[in-house]
Short mmCIF file of all heavy atoms in Angstrom, two decimals:
data_model
loop_
_atom_site.label_atom_id
_atom_site.label_comp_id
_atom_site.label_asym_id
_atom_site.label_seq_id
_atom_site.Cartn_x
_atom_site.Cartn_y
_atom_site.Cartn_z
N ALA A 30 -16.31 4.14 -2.94
CA ALA A 30 -15.13 4.80 -3.63
C ALA A 30 -15.16 4.34 -5.05
O ALA A 30 -15.53 3.17 -5.33
CB ALA A 30 -14.00 4.54 -2.91
N ASP A 31 -14.59 5.24 -5.93
CA ASP A 31 -14.36 4.95 -7.29
C ASP A 31 -12.87 4.43 -7.34
O ASP A 31 -12.02 5.29 -7.14
CB ASP A 31 -14.56 6.11 -8.16
CG ASP A 31 -14.15 5.95 -9.58
OD1 ASP A 31 -13.99 4.76 -10.08
OD2 ASP A 31 -14.00 6.87 -10.28
N VAL A 32 -12.67 3.24 -7.44
CA VAL A 32 -11.31 2.66 -7.26
C VAL A 32 -10.68 2.14 -8.54
O VAL A 32 -11.32 1.48 -9.27
CB VAL A 32 -11.38 1.40 -6.31
CG1 VAL A 32 -9.98 0.81 -6.00
CG2 VAL A 32 -12.14 1.78 -4.91
N THR A 33 -9.34 2.50 -8.73
CA THR A 33 -8.62 1.98 -9.73
C THR A 33 -7.43 1.12 -9.14
O THR A 33 -6.80 1.69 -8.21
CB THR A 33 -7.94 3.14 -10.66
OG1 THR A 33 -8.97 3.95 -11.18
CG2 THR A 33 -7.04 2.63 -11.69
N LEU A 34 -7.27 -0.13 -9.56
CA LEU A 34 -6.31 -1.10 -9.01
C LEU A 34 -5.26 -1.25 -10.14
O LEU A 34 -5.61 -1.65 -11.21
CB LEU A 34 -6.97 -2.35 -8.64
CG LEU A 34 -6.11 -3.41 -8.09
CD1 LEU A 34 -5.54 -3.11 -6.79
CD2 LEU A 34 -6.99 -4.71 -8.00
N LEU A 35 -3.98 -0.95 -9.63
CA LEU A 35 -2.86 -1.05 -10.72
C LEU A 35 -1.73 -1.78 -10.20
O LEU A 35 -1.29 -1.36 -8.98
CB LEU A 35 -2.43 0.43 -11.18
CG LEU A 35 -3.48 1.17 -11.94
CD1 LEU A 35 -2.88 2.61 -12.01
CD2 LEU A 35 -3.76 0.66 -13.27
N SER A 36 -1.03 -2.66 -10.82
CA SER A 36 0.35 -3.10 -10.48
C SER A 36 1.22 -1.91 -10.80
O SER A 36 1.04 -1.14 -11.71
CB SER A 36 0.65 -4.38 -11.16
OG SER A 36 0.71 -4.14 -12.53
N VAL A 37 2.32 -1.87 -9.98
CA VAL A 37 3.24 -0.73 -10.14
C VAL A 37 3.90 -0.59 -11.57
O VAL A 37 3.95 0.47 -12.04
CB VAL A 37 4.29 -0.76 -9.05
CG1 VAL A 37 5.41 -1.84 -9.33
CG2 VAL A 37 5.01 0.65 -8.93
N ASP A 38 3.99 -1.70 -12.33
CA ASP A 38 4.57 -1.64 -13.64
C ASP A 38 3.52 -1.12 -14.71
O ASP A 38 3.91 -0.69 -15.69
CB ASP A 38 4.99 -3.02 -14.08
CG ASP A 38 3.93 -4.09 -14.20
OD1 ASP A 38 2.93 -3.93 -13.53
OD2 ASP A 38 4.13 -5.05 -14.88
N ALA A 39 2.24 -0.92 -14.30
CA ALA A 39 1.22 -0.35 -15.10
C ALA A 39 0.86 1.00 -14.67
O ALA A 39 0.01 1.62 -15.24
CB ALA A 39 0.01 -1.26 -15.18
N ALA A 40 1.43 1.57 -13.59
CA ALA A 40 1.05 2.73 -12.98
C ALA A 40 2.08 3.91 -13.35
O ALA A 40 3.26 3.64 -13.63
CB ALA A 40 1.07 2.63 -11.41
N SER A 41 1.62 5.13 -13.31
CA SER A 41 2.39 6.28 -13.58
C SER A 41 2.28 7.19 -12.33
O SER A 41 1.42 7.07 -11.51
CB SER A 41 1.90 7.05 -14.80
OG SER A 41 0.60 7.68 -14.48
N ALA A 42 3.23 8.13 -12.22
CA ALA A 42 3.16 9.05 -11.10
C ALA A 42 1.93 9.89 -11.18
O ALA A 42 1.31 10.19 -10.20
CB ALA A 42 4.45 10.04 -11.27
N GLU A 43 1.37 10.14 -12.36
CA GLU A 43 0.13 10.87 -12.61
C GLU A 43 -1.03 10.09 -11.97
O GLU A 43 -1.87 10.69 -11.28
CB GLU A 43 -0.11 11.19 -14.01
CG GLU A 43 -1.33 12.02 -14.30
CD GLU A 43 -1.33 12.41 -15.76
OE1 GLU A 43 -0.31 12.72 -16.34
OE2 GLU A 43 -2.53 12.20 -16.30
N ASP A 44 -0.94 8.75 -12.20
CA ASP A 44 -2.06 7.83 -11.68
C ASP A 44 -2.08 8.06 -10.10
O ASP A 44 -3.23 8.18 -9.49
CB ASP A 44 -1.86 6.41 -11.92
CG ASP A 44 -1.99 6.07 -13.37
OD1 ASP A 44 -2.87 6.62 -14.09
OD2 ASP A 44 -1.15 5.27 -13.86
N ALA A 45 -0.91 8.08 -9.51
CA ALA A 45 -0.87 8.18 -8.04
C ALA A 45 -1.23 9.51 -7.57
O ALA A 45 -1.95 9.65 -6.56
CB ALA A 45 0.62 7.87 -7.61
N LEU A 46 -0.70 10.51 -8.16
CA LEU A 46 -0.91 11.88 -7.59
C LEU A 46 -2.25 12.61 -7.96
O LEU A 46 -2.68 13.43 -7.25
CB LEU A 46 0.33 12.78 -8.05
CG LEU A 46 1.64 12.37 -7.60
CD1 LEU A 46 2.82 13.18 -8.24
CD2 LEU A 46 1.72 12.30 -6.14
N GLN A 47 -2.92 12.01 -8.94
CA GLN A 47 -4.25 12.62 -9.23
C GLN A 47 -5.43 11.90 -8.44
O GLN A 47 -6.54 12.48 -8.45
CB GLN A 47 -4.60 12.42 -10.75
CG GLN A 47 -3.74 13.36 -11.64
CD GLN A 47 -4.16 13.33 -13.05
OE1 GLN A 47 -5.01 12.47 -13.52
NE2 GLN A 47 -3.71 14.32 -13.79
N ALA A 48 -5.13 10.95 -7.71
CA ALA A 48 -6.08 10.26 -6.80
C ALA A 48 -6.36 11.09 -5.58
O ALA A 48 -5.51 11.72 -5.09
CB ALA A 48 -5.62 8.88 -6.48
N ASP A 49 -7.61 11.04 -5.23
CA ASP A 49 -8.00 11.72 -3.89
C ASP A 49 -7.40 10.94 -2.71
O ASP A 49 -6.99 11.48 -1.76
CB ASP A 49 -9.54 11.79 -3.69
CG ASP A 49 -10.21 12.59 -4.84
OD1 ASP A 49 -9.70 13.70 -5.12
OD2 ASP A 49 -11.13 12.16 -5.44
N LEU A 50 -7.39 9.77 -2.90
CA LEU A 50 -6.96 8.68 -1.89
C LEU A 50 -5.94 7.71 -2.65
O LEU A 50 -6.19 7.21 -3.71
CB LEU A 50 -8.02 7.84 -1.31
CG LEU A 50 -9.16 8.54 -0.59
CD1 LEU A 50 -10.34 7.65 -0.45
CD2 LEU A 50 -8.76 9.16 0.77
N LEU A 51 -4.76 7.53 -2.08
CA LEU A 51 -3.78 6.69 -2.65
C LEU A 51 -3.28 5.54 -1.61
O LEU A 51 -2.90 5.95 -0.53
CB LEU A 51 -2.44 7.54 -3.02
CG LEU A 51 -1.33 6.83 -3.59
CD1 LEU A 51 -1.66 6.04 -4.91
CD2 LEU A 51 -0.09 7.73 -3.83
N ALA A 52 -3.49 4.42 -2.08
CA ALA A 52 -3.05 3.19 -1.30
C ALA A 52 -1.86 2.59 -2.01
O ALA A 52 -2.03 2.19 -3.23
CB ALA A 52 -4.20 2.23 -1.05
N LEU A 53 -0.83 2.39 -1.35
CA LEU A 53 0.39 1.80 -2.00
C LEU A 53 0.70 0.48 -1.10
O LEU A 53 0.77 0.51 0.10
CB LEU A 53 1.63 2.72 -1.75
CG LEU A 53 1.45 4.04 -2.52
CD1 LEU A 53 2.67 4.98 -2.26
CD2 LEU A 53 1.31 3.88 -4.07
N GLY A 54 0.98 -0.55 -1.89
CA GLY A 54 1.37 -1.84 -1.34
C GLY A 54 2.64 -2.45 -1.90
O GLY A 54 2.81 -2.49 -3.08
N CYS A 55 3.46 -2.88 -0.95
CA CYS A 55 4.77 -3.48 -1.23
C CYS A 55 5.13 -4.43 -0.09
O CYS A 55 5.11 -3.99 1.07
CB CYS A 55 5.83 -2.52 -1.49
SG CYS A 55 7.36 -3.15 -2.03
N PRO A 56 5.49 -5.66 -0.38
CA PRO A 56 6.02 -6.55 0.57
C PRO A 56 7.38 -6.20 1.14
O PRO A 56 8.12 -5.41 0.42
CB PRO A 56 5.97 -7.94 -0.14
CG PRO A 56 6.30 -7.64 -1.48
CD PRO A 56 5.61 -6.28 -1.71
#
Side-chain angles (χ1 to χ4, degrees):
D31 177 16
V32 181
T33 301
L34 177 65
L35 299 168
S36 63
V37 73
D38 62 339
S41 69
E43 186 175 315
D44 292 325
L46 299 175
Q47 287 187 350
D49 299 312
L50 302 164
L51 176 61
L53 297 175
C55 185

